[in-house]
Amino acid sequence: MDNSKQANSNADTTEIKLALYIQELFEVLYLNLGLQQLIDRAREILGHPMVVHDMGFKVLTASYDAHEIVNFTQDEHGNNYINEDTIQFIRSNNVAEKVRKKGASEYIKKLEPLNGTNLSIIKINDIEIAQFAVYEAGIKFEETDFKLIDKISQILSVELQKSNAFNMQHSLIPNYVLTDLLDGKIMTEDAVRDKLHYLNWIQEKHLYIMVISNKESKGLDIKIPAVVQVLKEFIPLENCIIFQSNITAFIPKKLFEKLCIGSKSEFINLLERNALRAGISLNLSEISDCKRFYSQAKEALEIGKKQNIIVSFFKEFALNIISDLIKSKYNYLDFCHPAVIQIMEFDQQNQSDLLPTLKHYLYYRSSPNEASKVLCIHRNTLFYRINKIKDMTGIDLNHVTEVSQLYFSIKLLEINGYELNA
């Protein structure tokens, strides 16, 4: 037999072995023998220790010998977690990010020979739900191992999907009181508090309402069980309800600061990598008024989606909302100060930057030097342009009402697509 025939024969044998192994694993899956049985069989087939953990590093299942390779820590409830050293290694080496970019399992080489790890991310409906780690443990990975690990990850996804749907039904208790309130049913504050106390719900006085949805579509729908599983690492499930095909969370102030302060918090990273978006209301003090604040969160969410903002705050979109209300009946240009329209047209005809100059001058009224820095011009140039604007339009920049109208007009133009170059 020549070399090419031998190679083809070996390839055929490998594919047959892979198919048989996958068939064995599917039999375990369809017999509903559970996650542990799947891992036990995968351990026999691959010959390597392995662990499945969720995105919060809680161990969901592991082969009998995994503890010989990686250390676990245990919480007060008896749950095992990947130890901190391993977590720091995963994070510092951007292991998960490499898997995301590759779109398949990734081999992580370590200093000691034959002690690498193959990691894959398990998804349910495009939501990252868990990670599957297979350890070399002194036995070199073969090419077929990598193919098989990717197939096992897909099978684990199916098994976890069954488990997650079950767990969600038992963990996320429908709260009829909050659903009634979000639907607009009128109740007194005392009556609401009494009912929530009976249901052992959070009794925080000040809350934010957060609505979590898909980046693109209106609702989470089939993604809800998977999103719930990853969300519980950040927000207690008793704070959440499913409403109008999205997840609505009631967030106490301290938790709000932990989740949302900083552009790259772990929570924001979670939303970003799973193509999720969140809208957040103003601070809610009367739970009986939560429909109003829910509407704020929904409005912030929809505006944020249009601008591709991961977490959107209602307080930051007041002018956007006013603009939409104006445009529902009028031409928004009719609400702009005539001087702003005049300056805009002058800039367009002369390729000048008077309108950006006015905007930053108004914003930094008490600090012209700061305005000059932002505009990258000399202070004298700033005042030259402002005097030119005054002479051209006749505006009075010492009149508070006029100043507020000018700044509002400039922001209205920006919201509606007018780009200020400077």
Side-chain angles (χ1 to χ4, degrees):
M1 186 182 295
D2 60 36
N3 290 338
S4 61
K5 288 183 178 179
Q6 182 65 47
N8 289 335
S9 176
N10 291 339
D12 290 342
T13 302
T14 299
E15 290 301 320
I16 291 169
K17 285 174 65 177
L18 277 172
L20 290 172
Y21 289 149
I22 292 164
Q23 184 179 334
E24 286 184 45
L25 291 167
F26 268 115
E27 286 176 4
V28 177
L29 177 71
Y30 289 127
L31 288 171
N32 283 320
L33 298 178
L35 188 60
Q36 187 61 56
Q37 287 280 359
L38 266 176
I39 286 299
D40 290 344
R41 188 68 195 100
R43 170 67 181 87
E44 290 177 22
I45 292 169
L46 278 171
H48 295 277
M50 55 190 67
V51 171
V52 179
H53 63 78
D54 69 15
M55 300 309 288
F57 297 98
K58 177 184 174 182
V59 176
L60 302 177
T61 188
S63 63
Y64 67 89
D65 52 353
H67 68 278
E68 297 173 7
I69 308 301
V70 60
N71 294 322
F72 301 142
T73 57
Q74 197 170 81
D75 66 11
E76 66 274 17
H77 303 296
N79 298 312
N80 286 324
Y81 287 80
I82 302 296
N83 76 315
E84 189 61 31
D85 289 343
T86 304
I87 293 172
Q88 288 306 317
F89 175 84
I90 291 169
R91 287 176 173 165
S92 62
N93 287 277
N94 295 316
V95 173
E97 192 57 38
K98 292 174 183 175
V99 177
R100 292 182 190 109
K101 286 182 179 178
K102 187 177 178 182
S105 59
E106 173 74 7
Y107 176 69
I108 305 107
K109 190 175 181 179
K110 296 185 181 174
L111 293 176
E112 305 87 355
L114 302 182
N115 274 281
T117 304
N118 193 274
L119 185 77
S120 61
I121 293 176
I122 301 170
K123 293 184 178 184
I124 296 176
N125 296 317
D126 295 324
I127 301 297
E128 295 181 359
I129 195 80
Q131 294 181 359
F132 177 41
V134 182
Y135 304 99
E136 208 162 21
I139 302 173
K140 182 178 174 60
F141 284 129
E142 302 294 336
E143 190 61 36
T144 53
D145 292 337
F146 299 121
K147 293 180 181 179
L148 194 52
I149 287 168
D150 285 329
K151 293 293 184 183
I152 294 171
S153 296
Q154 294 170 19
I155 294 170
L156 289 171
S157 171
V158 178
E159 178 60 37
L160 284 171
Q161 189 165 359
K162 291 189 294 182
S163 302
N164 288 338
F166 175 82
N167 289 336
M168 189 201 74
Q169 292 167 8
H170 287 73
S171 302
L172 199 59
I173 302 170
N175 192 316
Y176 66 90
V177 180
L178 295 173
T179 300
D180 283 348
L181 287 172
L182 293 177
D183 272 329
K185 186 174 180 180
I186 298 173
M187 286 184 254
T188 66
E189 183 69 13
D190 288 342
V192 175
R193 291 284 175 184
D194 286 346
K195 288 180 179 182
L196 292 176
H197 178 72
Y198 175 74
L199 293 171
N200 199 29
W201 197 67
I202 51 175
Q203 294 296 308
E204 296 269 352
K205 182 67 176 173
H206 296 282
L207 298 165
Y208 296 87
I209 291 180
M210 176 189 292
V211 178
I212 299 169
S213 186
N214 268 322
K215 178 181 178 180
E216 304 293 345
S217 59
K218 288 287 184 183
L220 291 169
D221 297 318
I222 62 171
K223 287 186 178 181
I224 285 175
V227 175
V228 166
Q229 290 303 311
V230 294
L231 194 64
K232 70 182 183 182
E233 300 297 329
F234 297 90
I235 303 172
L237 291 185
E238 59 266 24
N239 292 33
C240 304
I241 66 169
I242 297 168
F243 185 72
Q244 295 181 348
S245 297
N246 290 315
I247 295 173
T248 298
F250 294 78
I251 312 293
K253 186 177 180 181
K254 285 186 178 179
L255 180 58
F256 165 80
E257 292 171 353
K258 181 179 177 182
L259 295 179
C260 301
I261 302 303
S263 60
K264 285 297 179 183
S265 73
E266 284 294 316
F267 176 69
I268 293 173
N269 284 335
L270 164 78
L271 297 178
E272 183 175 24
R273 66 175 178 255
N274 288 299
L276 300 173
R277 295 293 180 263
I280 300 178
S281 72
L282 298 175
N283 190 274
L284 163 70
S285 57
E286 299 289 329
I287 195 71
S288 57
D289 200 20
C290 69
K291 183 185 180 183
R292 171 184 154 207
F293 288 81
Y294 170 78
S295 297
Q296 293 175 4
K298 275 296 294 289
E299 189 69 33
L301 172 69
E302 295 308 319
I303 294 172
K305 282 184 180 183
K306 292 174 186 175
Q307 300 183 23
N308 198 26
I309 298 171
I310 299 166
V311 177
S312 307
F313 302 91
F314 179 81
K315 65 180 180 180
E316 296 176 0
F317 290 128
L319 289 179
N320 298 71
I321 295 164
I322 292 170
S323 172
D324 287 342
L325 291 172
I326 289 171
K327 289 191 297 182
S328 67
K329 288 191 175 183
Y330 306 97
N331 185 324
Y332 75 91
L333 292 174
D334 296 340
F335 286 77
C336 290
H337 193 292
V340 168
I341 301 298
Q342 184 182 351
I343 299 166
M344 177 183 72
E345 291 173 348
F346 181 87
D347 280 347
Q348 289 172 340
Q349 293 166 9
N350 298 276
Q351 296 185 325
S352 55
D353 294 322
L354 294 185
L355 197 55
T357 301
L358 179 60
K359 172 191 170 182
H360 292 295
Y361 178 78
L362 295 176
Y363 188 81
Y364 296 104
R365 288 199 70 199
S366 61
S367 179
N369 289 335
E370 194 63 34
S372 300
K373 280 183 188 177
V374 173
L375 291 162
C376 300
I377 59 175
H378 192 274
R379 178 187 170 97
N380 291 343
T381 305
L382 172 69
F383 287 116
Y384 169 79
R385 290 182 183 178
I386 294 300
N387 288 329
K388 183 174 180 178
I389 290 169
K390 288 179 182 178
D391 292 340
M392 186 171 71
T393 62
I395 58 175
D396 181 1
L397 297 183
N398 292 316
H399 196 286
V400 174
T401 301
E402 187 151 54
V403 167
S404 62
Q405 288 175 343
L406 290 166
Y407 192 74
F408 171 78
S409 300
I410 294 170
K411 294 301 291 181
L412 198 55
L413 287 176
E414 286 186 308
I415 288 167
N416 286 282
Y418 182 80
E419 293 185 13
L420 298 183
N421 296 323

